[in-house]
Amino acid sequence: MQMTSAPHLQAEDGPEYARILGDALRHAHERPDLEGVGDRLNTEQLRTMALNATALITAAAATEYEHYVKARAELRAASATVPEGESYGDTSSATGPGAGIGAVLTVLTPILAGTAAVIFLLVGYLMRAFSPSVGFGTTMIAAGWFFAAVAAAAILVAAVGLLVTALRNGSTSLAAEDEEDELPEEVARAREAWRHALLERGILPFLRDALADPTAGPAARTPHRSPNRIPKVGYSRPDFSGPEEGPSAGPRPTFTSPDFTSPDFGGPDHRPE
């Protein structure tokens, strides 16, 4: 279901309008003036009508919305002038050249150390198997185990780094989600004033008018019909019936002799002269 966009309602505020409308319809049974919901019109019909009339409904709270948008724009303009390093110092420093080299080393060290460990261990054990008297094989094996330990340590460091990065990004995303709830007092008041005006002067009056419309009666809904009932669609049933419906079901066709005779087919006393 698409919501008709209003010229004065920004796209980012469309979901908020839909949320307020949904809350109003969800709690409509608590309002005596909306007692016709479900009787004259159901909630889905009212939701569709309200979404199609977004421009008309939001115009009722245009003054409050304009104040809210202005306060929000001033807040964003002020936030844009604050250096990002002041609030996200660690994140900005992590994007520098040092962070790039560290990331490369974190990825390459386990691979290189693991490869070296495999090579040294393989060569060392082969040399010990074919030439036990040569002591170089033992040195190769020792070097192989050293690189294996380096690879294990590098993998552990990389895992810890990934965990720290995930926790940092998670806290950053939660802070971004809670940013709306931590708006300055002026912006928060403007937003709440717009929400209240939109509900009281826009959505609720529209729903009341829709329910009070005499043309939006039960006929607007799709009635539940019994499967054994033949609906009447404005014309009578044709005058035909089966043989078992009796004589009152309508005239049945009869066959009579033709209304013409030939001179050659007269009565027995009639002979051609």
Side-chain angles (χ1 to χ4, degrees):
M1 181 185 299
Q2 296 181 350
M3 181 176 62
T4 305
S5 60
H8 53 274
L9 186 65
Q10 297 183 6
E12 61 182 302
D13 298 318
E16 181 66 14
Y17 168 79
R19 186 191 65 81
I20 298 174
L21 173 62
D23 290 342
L25 293 174
R26 191 160 43 248
H27 300 284
H29 63 280
E30 302 174 1
R31 295 178 175 271
D33 52 345
L34 298 180
E35 59 183 4
V37 175
D39 183 19
R40 301 174 61 85
L41 292 171
N42 57 39
T43 56
E44 289 304 318
Q45 289 173 320
L46 290 171
R47 187 191 308 274
T48 302
M49 295 170 61
L51 292 178
N52 291 333
T54 301
L56 177 64
I57 295 175
T58 55
T63 303
E64 289 79 5
Y65 182 67
E66 182 180 0
H67 179 65
Y68 168 52
V69 171
K70 181 179 179 181
R72 184 174 60 186
E74 293 176 353
L75 173 64
R76 291 175 178 175
S79 300
T81 60
V82 177
E84 294 292 335
E86 293 185 1
S87 56
Y88 301 99
D90 297 338
T91 305
S92 61
S93 61
T95 58
I101 297 175
V104 171
L105 292 178
T106 302
V107 174
L108 292 181
T109 300
I111 299 175
L112 296 177
T115 304
V118 171
I119 294 174
F120 278 99
L121 289 174
L122 181 61
V123 174
Y125 280 110
L126 287 176
M127 291 181 65
R128 176 182 289 184
F130 291 101
S131 302
S133 60
V134 179
F136 187 70
T138 304
T139 304
M140 295 286 289
I141 292 174
W145 285 114
F146 171 76
F147 281 111
V150 172
I155 292 174
L156 180 61
V157 171
V160 173
L162 289 176
L163 179 61
V164 171
T165 303
L167 293 176
R168 181 183 301 170
N169 292 339
S171 61
T172 303
S173 61
L174 290 176
E177 292 177 357
D178 297 338
E179 181 181 0
E180 184 180 0
D181 297 332
E182 298 177 358
L183 291 175
E185 184 178 359
E186 181 181 358
V187 181
R189 285 201 308 265
R191 182 185 62 182
E192 189 61 30
W194 170 62
R195 290 175 175 177
H196 181 76
L198 180 63
L199 177 64
E200 297 296 333
R201 298 206 308 264
I203 294 177
L204 292 180
F206 178 84
L207 296 179
R208 286 194 294 266
D209 292 343
L211 293 173
D213 187 0
T215 62
R221 298 181 297 164
T222 302
H224 175 73
R225 298 184 181 276
S226 173
N228 298 324
R229 179 183 176 185
I230 301 177
K232 295 182 179 181
V233 292
Y235 54 87
S236 60
R237 298 174 58 186
D239 293 334
F240 62 87
S241 61
E244 67 278 3
E245 294 185 3
S248 61
R252 299 175 60 182
T254 57
F255 297 92
T256 59
S257 60
D259 292 337
F260 61 88
T261 58
S262 172
D264 297 335
F265 295 92
D269 298 334
H270 178 78
R271 309 230 179 243
E273 295 180 359

